[in-house]
């Protein structure tokens, strides 16, 4: 018995990503509440010869989620379906925001072992773009996925895990939104824990010369380098049994720091040479003394992205960390016209077997560069961007899928040994390319 579900798409919705750097105007915008509705949308798209883009939190700083055809926003499919206390696993609908999942898991005494900086992002989107944090014993977030279900273009539902549809599983754990609609995701969790965060000042030379020690000393180690200087802020985060506490004045610094920084960066758009001074001033203001915080894990993992920004984030083999950073530093020194906002954030992740993971079969260092947009104003960044990409490419880098980059299929074929395997699965699951968009066409054609 076929029950027809009436699905209504909204016209005139303008989609924009979080940083307001990319946007599109989908012809119809849907917020389905059931699998049947999604099937209907796919049927309608097929009849009208339209493409479909599925979106979650819309946080990605690129046009990976943009479309002028049909957009499916998964926000209403956001339930926790099952918590398995024995296996410490949770199964959720693809549209659930991690911010809600974190609170929900906490009630069950569970947590995700690692999280990115932002939690206003949907489970299916987080894995689809290969979100990561830091910690050499930890992989990118998709490595925490033990199973998922995929609704394909033909309306079929595939269960995927290490043991069922194993090939599709290794493709779908980082799916780029092009294999189908991710309906559910099962995460491997850990018992809930608190983190003790210590941030302290250092120098670039010290950190790069003793990288091994830092990686051994802290489970979630990262550092921030302040371009145009030797200044570094080292950040250790480690599980603790101590009660929550915080260096309170930090928030005051933060509030003052935040508004002041935006204003100074805006002035620097007229006088670019100020950026060097701003980077040093802010290091002195906010990062030159030791700061400690203890809180439930997700509150330490998550932090404000402050304000709108352009970012790039590539993963290089971990043994290239020192060389690549010193090259970036030299490039800035040799080119006084090129300015770089702070920080360059350096993080680490364990190698994995996920086909399109930037960490595929190698431990990696992620180097995240930022140009802020004070009051929404664009700051010239092309030189810096191209210089950075050149250095990353030279060292065998692979770009973060959610962030802006200028790579094409030729590049990806070189970077990813399993790229042809991914392509053949994509073509099998979506022969007519209903899930493609402009961003994905650059990747696959």
């Amino acid at each position: 018995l076929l029950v027809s579900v009436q699905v209504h798409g909204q016209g005139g919705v303008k989609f924009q990503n979080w940083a307001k750097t990319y946007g599109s105007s989908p012809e119809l915008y849907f917020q389905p509440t059931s699998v049947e509705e999604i099937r209907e949308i796919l049927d309608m798209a097929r009849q009208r010869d339209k493409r479909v883009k599925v979106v979650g939190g819309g946080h990605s700083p690129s046009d990976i989620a943009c479309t002028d055809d049909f957009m499916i926003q998964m926000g209403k499919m956001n339930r926790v379906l099952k918590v398995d206390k024995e296996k410490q696993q949770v199964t959720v609908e693809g549209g659930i925001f991690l911010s809600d999942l974190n609170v929900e898991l906490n009630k069950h005494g569970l947590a995700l072992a690692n999280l990115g900086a932002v939690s206003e992002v949907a489970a299916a989107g987080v894995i689809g773009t290969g979100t990561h944090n830091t910690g050499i014993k930890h992989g990118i977030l998709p490595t925490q996925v033990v199973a998922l279900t995929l609704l394909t273009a033909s309306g079929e539902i595939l269960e995927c895990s290490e043991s069922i549809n194993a090939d599709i599983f290794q493709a779908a754990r980082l799916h780029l939104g092009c294999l189908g609609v991710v309906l559910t995701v099962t995460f491997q969790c850990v018992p809930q824990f608190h983190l003790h965060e210590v941030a302290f000042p250092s120098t670039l030379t010290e950190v790069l010369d003793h990288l091994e020690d830092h990686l051994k000393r802290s489970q979630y180690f990262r550092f921030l380098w302040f371009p145009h200087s030797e200044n570094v802020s080292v950040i250790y985060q480690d599980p603790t049994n101590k009660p929550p506490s915080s260096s309170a004045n930090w928030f005051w610094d933060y509030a003052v720091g935040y508004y002041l920084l935006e204003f100074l960066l805006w002035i620097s758009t007229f006088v670019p040479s100020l950026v060097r001074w701003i980077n040093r001033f802010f290091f002195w203001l906010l990062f030159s003394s030791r700061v400690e915080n203890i809180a439930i894990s997700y509150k330490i993992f998550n932090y404000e992205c402050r304000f709108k920004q352009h970012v790039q984030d590539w993963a290089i083999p971990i043994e290239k960390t020192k060389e690549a950073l010193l090259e970036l530093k030299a490039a800035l020194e040799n080119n006084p016209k090129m300015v770089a906002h702070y920080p360059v954030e350096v993080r680490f992740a364990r190698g994995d077997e996920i086909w399109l993971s930037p960490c595929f079969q190698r431990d990696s260092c992620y180097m995240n560069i930022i140009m802020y947009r004070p009051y929404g104003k664009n700051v010239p960044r092309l030189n810096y961007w191209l210089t950075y990409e050149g250095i990353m490419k030279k060292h065998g880098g692979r770009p973060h899928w959610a962030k802006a980059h200028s790579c094409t299929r030729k590049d990806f074929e070189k970077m990813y040994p399993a790229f042809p395997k991914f392509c053949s699965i994509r073509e099998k699951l979506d022969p007519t390319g209903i899930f493609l968009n402009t961003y994905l066409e650059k990747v696959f054609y």
Side-chain angles (χ1 to χ4, degrees), residues 84-388:
D84 184 330
K85 289 233 165 139
E86 297 244 314
K87 292 185 178 165
Q88 300 185 337
Q89 290 175 354
V90 61
T91 303
V92 296
E93 289 184 308
I96 193 170
F97 271 21
L98 292 191
S99 47
D100 297 328
L101 177 57
N102 292 334
V103 173
E104 208 45 49
L105 284 176
N106 200 22
K107 289 180 193 162
H108 294 279
L110 294 171
L112 289 170
N114 210 348
L115 286 166
V118 182
S119 279
E120 276 56 55
V121 285
V126 163
I127 66 169
T129 53
T131 301
H132 68 96
N133 181 23
T134 192
I136 199 54
K137 289 196 167 56
H138 296 272
I140 62 173
L141 269 56
T143 59
Q144 301 177 55
V145 174
V146 289
L148 54 86
T149 56
L150 194 62
L151 176 68
T152 65
S154 64
E156 185 188 358
I157 293 182
L158 300 177
E159 309 273 336
C160 310
S161 67
E162 298 276 2
S163 50
I164 315 164
N165 290 319
D167 266 13
I168 296 178
F169 182 61
Q170 289 306 8
R173 285 210 279 177
L174 203 163
H175 53 74
L176 299 183
C178 68
L179 302 178
V181 183
V182 175
L183 297 175
T184 72
V185 181
T186 303
F187 288 102
Q188 180 60 53
C189 303
V190 296
Q192 106 197 116
F193 60 107
H194 281 69
L195 278 176
H196 181 188
E197 176 179 73
V198 184
F200 58 92
S202 183
T203 66
L204 191 59
T205 311
E206 186 282 324
V207 172
L208 292 178
D209 288 350
H210 301 105
L211 204 52
E212 282 299 310
D213 299 343
H214 286 290
L215 284 162
K216 284 196 193 94
R217 208 170 297 156
S218 171
Q219 196 180 137
Y220 305 96
F221 154 67
R222 82 177 77 215
F223 68 90
L224 311 177
W225 170 55
F226 290 67
H228 310 296
S229 76
E230 259 285 306
N231 296 332
V232 161
S233 174
V234 173
I235 298 163
Y236 286 173
Q237 294 171 341
D238 290 285
T240 181
N241 296 321
K242 295 182 197 154
S245 66
S246 160
S247 329
N249 65 336
W250 187 80
F251 292 101
W252 171 241
D253 293 346
Y254 178 85
V256 173
Y258 175 91
Y259 293 112
L260 185 59
L261 177 63
E262 187 160 28
F263 177 65
L264 290 175
L265 287 177
W266 179 74
I267 289 183
S268 80
T269 61
F270 306 101
V271 193
S273 58
L274 280 180
V275 170
R276 297 155 207 282
W277 175 83
I278 294 171
N279 287 359
R280 292 187 171 135
F281 171 68
F282 270 87
F283 179 78
W284 170 79
L285 185 70
L286 296 182
F287 299 92
S288 58
S289 57
R290 188 184 164 94
V291 174
E292 299 193 41
N293 279 307
I294 298 174
I296 193 89
S297 57
Y298 64 86
K299 291 192 175 161
I300 296 282
F301 285 139
N302 289 167
Y303 55 86
E304 277 299 320
C305 281
R306 310 214 165 184
F307 40 88
K308 310 306 181 200
Q309 50 188 251
H310 285 286
V311 317
Q312 280 224 59
D313 192 15
W314 285 50
I316 53 175
I318 196 163
E319 57 278 6
K320 306 281 192 186
T321 306
K322 179 173 180 175
E323 214 179 324
L325 250 184
L326 291 178
E327 271 179 50
L328 188 62
K329 184 170 191 262
L332 289 171
E333 279 163 11
N334 299 332
N335 186 346
K337 282 214 163 64
M338 190 159 61
V339 298
H341 292 165
Y342 85 83
V344 171
E345 185 182 20
V346 184
R347 291 176 284 181
F348 304 90
R350 186 181 42 132
D352 61 51
E353 292 300 319
I354 298 168
W355 291 355
L356 289 191
S357 164
C359 302
F360 182 71
Q361 295 184 344
R362 67 185 198 201
D363 291 351
S364 301
C365 162
Y366 277 94
M367 222 167 272
N368 187 58
I369 64 166
I370 282 182
M371 286 301 269
Y372 291 116
R373 300 171 57 225
Y375 312 122
K377 180 176 178 179
N378 273 329
V379 177
R381 62 179 198 284
L382 196 62
N383 271 348
Y384 182 33
W385 250 223
L386 293 174
T387 303
Y388 165 86

Side-chain angles (χ1 to χ4, degrees), residues 314-317 324 362 386-399 405-408 410-412 414-415:
W314 285 50
I316 53 175
R362 67 185 198 201
L386 293 174
T387 303
Y388 165 86
E389 276 200 344
I391 294 169
M392 294 291 112
K393 268 190 182 158
K394 178 180 143 190
H395 292 295
R398 297 167 178 157
H405 58 77
S406 61
C407 299
T408 58
K410 274 200 187 74
D411 297 305
F412 295 127
K414 278 197 213 89
M415 293 169 183

